[in-house]
Amino acid sequence: MSETFCFLMRRDLSQDVPTIEWPNGIELTTYSAERASAVHELMQIGYREGGGRVPALDVWQQQFETDPEYDPALCFIASDAEGVIGLAQCWTSSYIKNLVVHPRGQGRGLGRALLLHAFKAFRDRREGFVDLKVLESNQRAQRLYEMSGMYVVRRELVPD
């Protein structure tokens, strides 16, 4: 069995956050229990593409909504005419837990817009930095994060 590694990446929030350019037709909202099923479905798609797994809907929703770092105002949901297309799920510790864009929305700047929106939200909360983890094998996401001003803090072994 091979070991899997990830990078802990960070963005200094004392730097200006660039203007956010949302793709046409995108509506931004925050999490609510009514959206749980659509968010869960998007996360399953994202994990299939980027690695990892997500528990069944009822387990995921219970874990998510009862996590001590959960704040629905920090779970940013992007929707288009077809439904939920993007998600930035953040914790109160200035940590981006998940950033997912549906394949139909990739390559349009939505991931960058969600990422910058999260940076701005944490900066508005007077946080000094924001962190996230990305699988070492997910080079597409790493490029997005680096182009948005993030840098690698350390390499970590992903627990099984």
Side-chain angles (χ1 to χ4, degrees):
M1 187 169 81
S2 65
E3 295 180 326
T4 304
F5 288 90
C6 70
F7 293 118
L8 174 67
M9 297 187 75
R10 175 168 289 170
R11 169 90 159 45
D12 179 350
L13 295 177
S14 67
Q15 304 169 4
D16 286 339
V17 176
T19 302
I20 302 169
E21 297 180 25
W22 294 98
N24 289 336
I26 295 297
E27 177 189 356
L28 187 68
T29 57
T30 53
Y31 179 82
S32 63
E34 297 79 38
R35 290 196 162 91
S37 179
V39 168
H40 181 262
E41 186 178 319
L42 177 63
M43 288 184 59
Q44 287 181 308
I45 292 167
Y47 273 83
R48 275 197 303 269
E49 295 218 334
R53 59 192 171 278
V54 98
L57 173 60
D58 56 340
V59 174
W60 169 82
Q61 187 174 4
Q62 194 274 332
Q63 289 174 344
F64 176 60
E65 293 178 5
T66 60
D67 191 287
E69 292 196 63
Y70 165 72
D71 179 348
L74 290 173
C75 184
F76 309 112
I77 300 170
S79 300
D80 65 5
E82 296 180 50
V84 173
I85 191 170
L87 165 75
Q89 174 192 351
C90 306
W91 290 146
T92 56
S93 60
S94 194
Y95 183 79
I96 300 171
K97 171 78 170 121
N98 289 295
L99 180 71
V100 183
V101 175
H102 192 283
R104 77 171 187 271
Q106 293 177 359
R108 296 174 39 207
L110 182 56
R112 177 177 165 80
L114 283 164
L115 188 62
L116 295 178
H117 187 77
F119 293 168
K120 185 173 179 341
F122 284 121
R123 188 172 181 187
D124 290 350
R125 288 176 173 234
R126 305 215 184 291
E127 297 291 346
F129 58 86
V130 62
D131 290 340
L132 59 72
K133 290 182 181 177
V134 60
L135 289 174
E136 188 175 50
S137 60
N138 192 346
Q139 294 179 347
R140 182 177 182 183
Q142 287 173 42
R143 280 192 303 276
L144 168 65
Y145 303 148
E146 288 168 353
M147 289 172 34
S148 301
M150 300 192 85
Y151 57 90
V152 173
V153 175
R154 68 178 170 266
R155 183 176 185 241
E156 299 178 354
L157 181 63
V158 176
D160 287 332

